[in-house]
Amino acid sequence: MSHIPGKPAIIILAAGLGTRMKSDKAKVLHEILGKPMVTYVVETAQKVAGNDIILVIGRQAEKVRQIVSETHQVLFTVQKEQLGTGHAVTCALSDIPEHARQIIILCGDIPLLTTDTILRFLDDHVNANRDLTLLAVEIDNPAGYGRVLIDENGYVTGIVEEADATEQQKKIKTINTGIYCVKKEFLAESLLKITPDNVQGEFYLTDIVEIGCKEGKVVGMVVGSDYQEFTGINTVQDLIRVENIMRSR
């Protein structure tokens, strides 16, 4: 794979505890049609970024490393403490290859995401010369998800989590999928400015959106066409649902 301008590196967040799975197994190792869910995400990522993939691991790190390494060549970064998504990405910064200009951030629990969607997302981000683009999707029942706030010109101004949303904001049906494409320089700068002053005491990656807006960076979004692609797996019910969709594909 040649190093084209704007060639991305991809960070996959796979360190989560997955407490709602009610299982001793690390969440991303739960299988769908006989394959650990994280390997679907890695395969999709490799079609976009080749081997420039950094998998952030934490829960059962060695087990995840061993299983993924059997079939894929990626870099691993260990997040020793679970201090939030912003912290997880910070752990991976030093492993980003020098030539990578854009960084795509994915979650290890969205196995239905397609290569086409990521490529369209990357193209849109590069062509619009944005500092940060987030991938959003519209759903009829957005309860529980972070809502994307936009101004009258269609520019993204922030993301508000359900717990912090006003009644008016809760009516917004455009939600954040947790997938981002960010210029490497802006990512490194903005991560330094995240503070853990929230209920969870964690470093939220979503804060880089607000930081970008406040600093007058070009922040936008792409709305995915198929909400099913962004189905995250948090419970055994989710796992069964995704397995059924995967089967029907």
Side-chain angles (χ1 to χ4, degrees), residues 2-9 49 52 96-102 184:
S2 63
H3 295 318
I4 46 174
K7 180 171 188 293
D52 293 336
I96 293 172
E98 194 52 44
H99 59 260
R101 292 283 158 268
Q102 312 295 343
K184 183 164 64 177

Side-chain angles (χ1 to χ4, degrees), residues 10 21 52 69 113 126 144 164 185-186 193 212 215 220 228 248:
I10 295 182
M21 297 299 285
D52 293 336
S69 296
L113 184 69
V126 172
D164 305 318
E185 293 74 22
F186 173 63
K193 297 170 185 167
E215 294 180 0
Q228 277 189 336
S248 66

Side-chain angles (χ1 to χ4, degrees), residues 61-168:
E62 287 318 304
K63 186 96 181 125
V64 177
R65 186 195 299 262
Q66 178 200 331
I67 286 177
V68 174
S69 296
E70 281 169 12
T71 47
H72 297 89
Q73 188 185 339
V74 299
L75 294 164
F76 294 93
T77 295
V78 179
Q79 182 188 19
K80 292 192 173 69
E81 292 176 273
Q82 305 284 312
L83 299 175
T85 45
H87 176 254
V89 175
T90 304
C91 292
L93 276 182
S94 58
D95 292 316
I96 293 172
E98 194 52 44
H99 59 260
R101 292 283 158 268
Q102 312 295 343
I103 312 302
I104 296 171
I105 301 164
L106 304 176
C107 305
D109 65 350
I110 44 164
L112 296 170
L113 184 69
T114 64
T115 307
D116 276 356
T117 295
I118 301 179
L119 287 170
R120 267 208 318 275
F121 178 53
L122 175 64
D123 278 351
D124 197 280
H125 169 82
V126 172
N127 292 337
N129 196 21
R130 293 192 203 97
D131 295 288
L132 166 66
T133 307
L134 63 95
L135 191 46
V137 69
E138 293 192 4
I139 55 173
D140 287 336
N141 178 16
Y145 293 98
R147 313 301 204 278
V148 182
L149 308 178
I150 50 175
D151 64 16
E152 59 282 357
N153 300 317
Y155 287 113
V156 173
T157 57
I159 295 167
V160 62
E161 296 304 327
E162 170 95 3
D164 305 318
T166 63
E167 285 312 306
Q168 199 53 40

Side-chain angles (χ1 to χ4, degrees), residues 12 19 27-28 43 83 86-87 100 104 111 113 125 129-130 138 141 145 168 177-178 183 196 201-202 207 211 217 235:
I12 301 174
T19 42
K27 177 161 93 164
V28 295
E43 270 162 28
L83 299 175
H87 176 254
I104 296 171
L113 184 69
H125 169 82
N129 196 21
R130 293 192 203 97
E138 293 192 4
N141 178 16
Y145 293 98
Q168 199 53 40
T177 63
K183 278 186 181 165
E202 291 186 350
D207 289 358
I211 290 166
K217 301 289 185 191
T235 62

